[in-house]
Amino acid sequence: MAESLKVAAETGDINGLYGSIKEDSHVLDRIDAIPFVDTPLHIAASAGHIDFAIEILRLKPSFGRKLNPDGLSSLHLALINDKFETVKRLIKFDKELIRVKGREGANSLHLIAENDNNANQQQIVAAGRIDILAEFLFACPNSIEDLTNRNETALHIALKTENQRAVQVILGCICRIGRTEVLAYRDVEGKNAFDMAESTSQLEVWGLPLLIALF
């Protein structure tokens, strides 16, 4: 990537973006031709430069589905760096970005459903993650069925990592959209949602009455 374009992405400089395009009209195409790369969208999303991220996504929609060498999409990186407003704008532009699978087959819903120990130490960040989880499910409810390489749904991951608030939000979505069959999905170890809840030894905490009612 041209240094001028990299700097523009790091600083959120849209004028710098178009300056790079004027210097080389194929600059974005060349980046897109690389199988695994940190695109300007990855860089801008990581830093929370919302306007730049949306501008580059509009110019090159394929960047939204491209993975970097770590197997992460731009939306993954925005989540990892707690750039929640950037996440919201990206999925408003293209809700299917939620379903882009990265490392180990995990999409952004899987990522946000996982209990983040660091986030638990910061109530504002933890609340932001739950808000994003709810927005993902509202924007793209079909993502509730997406599986990782280990055949795990977002519910599997929330239960396994004992993310109580995420479990409650996901179960609420399952009830709302009538996708109770998701509860019966089994991971590579043969465990469904009820099995995962039981393995935590905290069945009532994880909504045992609701799980029983749904099965």
Side-chain angles (χ1 to χ4, degrees), residues 124-176:
I124 294 176
V125 173
R129 290 174 64 87
I130 293 300
D131 287 345
I132 291 295
L133 172 63
E135 290 211 24
F136 279 1
L137 292 172
F138 181 80
C140 190
N142 288 337
S143 62
I144 199 71
E145 298 182 354
D146 290 347
L147 303 175
T148 67
N149 292 356
R150 294 182 55 80
N151 290 343
E152 294 172 321
T153 64
L155 181 57
H156 277 102
I157 292 171
L159 286 164
K160 182 171 69 175
T161 61
E162 301 186 7
N163 190 347
Q164 181 182 357
R165 295 178 68 189
V167 170
Q168 293 169 346
V169 171
I170 294 170
L171 286 175
C173 175
I174 288 172
C175 290
R176 177 173 59 85

Side-chain angles (χ1 to χ4, degrees), residues 4-5 8 11-22 52 55:
S4 60
L5 179 55
T11 59
D13 182 6
I14 293 177
N15 289 331
L17 164 63
Y18 282 101
S20 296
I21 293 173
K22 286 179 182 178
F52 187 101
E55 187 71 8

Side-chain angles (χ1 to χ4, degrees), residues 1-200:
M1 185 189 311
E3 186 62 26
S4 60
L5 179 55
K6 182 180 178 182
V7 171
E10 290 173 341
T11 59
D13 182 6
I14 293 177
N15 289 331
L17 164 63
Y18 282 101
S20 296
I21 293 173
K22 286 179 182 178
E23 291 177 5
D24 179 1
S25 60
H26 294 287
V27 62
L28 299 183
D29 294 328
R30 270 194 283 276
I31 295 170
D32 202 17
I34 302 172
F36 297 94
V37 62
D38 278 301
T39 69
L41 178 57
H42 283 82
I43 296 170
S46 297
H49 296 310
I50 300 174
D51 291 339
F52 187 101
I54 296 301
E55 187 71 8
I56 198 92
L57 185 59
R58 183 182 64 79
L59 293 174
K60 206 70 175 172
S62 56
F63 280 1
R65 288 160 175 77
K66 188 171 285 292
L67 303 181
N68 71 4
D70 293 317
L72 301 172
S73 71
S74 52
L75 189 59
H76 284 118
L77 288 177
L79 283 173
I80 290 169
N81 289 285
D82 300 327
K83 303 302 182 182
F84 299 138
E85 290 305 314
T86 302
V87 170
K88 291 177 183 179
R89 287 282 297 278
L90 288 174
I91 65 170
K92 185 176 181 180
F93 186 91
D94 184 357
K95 64 182 181 182
E96 289 300 316
L97 295 178
I98 297 167
R99 306 188 76 176
V100 174
K101 291 191 173 186
R103 190 170 188 157
E104 299 183 62
N107 64 23
S108 294
L109 180 63
H110 295 124
L111 187 64
I112 203 69
E114 185 173 0
N115 196 1
D116 186 317
N117 291 328
N118 291 326
N120 286 338
Q121 297 170 11
Q122 305 175 48
Q123 291 185 358
I124 294 176
V125 173
R129 290 174 64 87
I130 293 300
D131 287 345
I132 291 295
L133 172 63
E135 290 211 24
F136 279 1
L137 292 172
F138 181 80
C140 190
N142 288 337
S143 62
I144 199 71
E145 298 182 354
D146 290 347
L147 303 175
T148 67
N149 292 356
R150 294 182 55 80
N151 290 343
E152 294 172 321
T153 64
L155 181 57
H156 277 102
I157 292 171
L159 286 164
K160 182 171 69 175
T161 61
E162 301 186 7
N163 190 347
Q164 181 182 357
R165 295 178 68 189
V167 170
Q168 293 169 346
V169 171
I170 294 170
L171 286 175
C173 175
I174 288 172
C175 290
R176 177 173 59 85
I177 66 177
R179 297 284 180 84
T180 55
E181 67 274 12
V182 173
L183 299 172
Y185 287 8
R186 295 186 181 276
D187 64 13
V188 293
E189 296 177 356
K191 293 181 179 180
N192 60 26
F194 189 87
D195 297 327
M196 294 295 297
E198 188 174 30
S199 68
T200 66

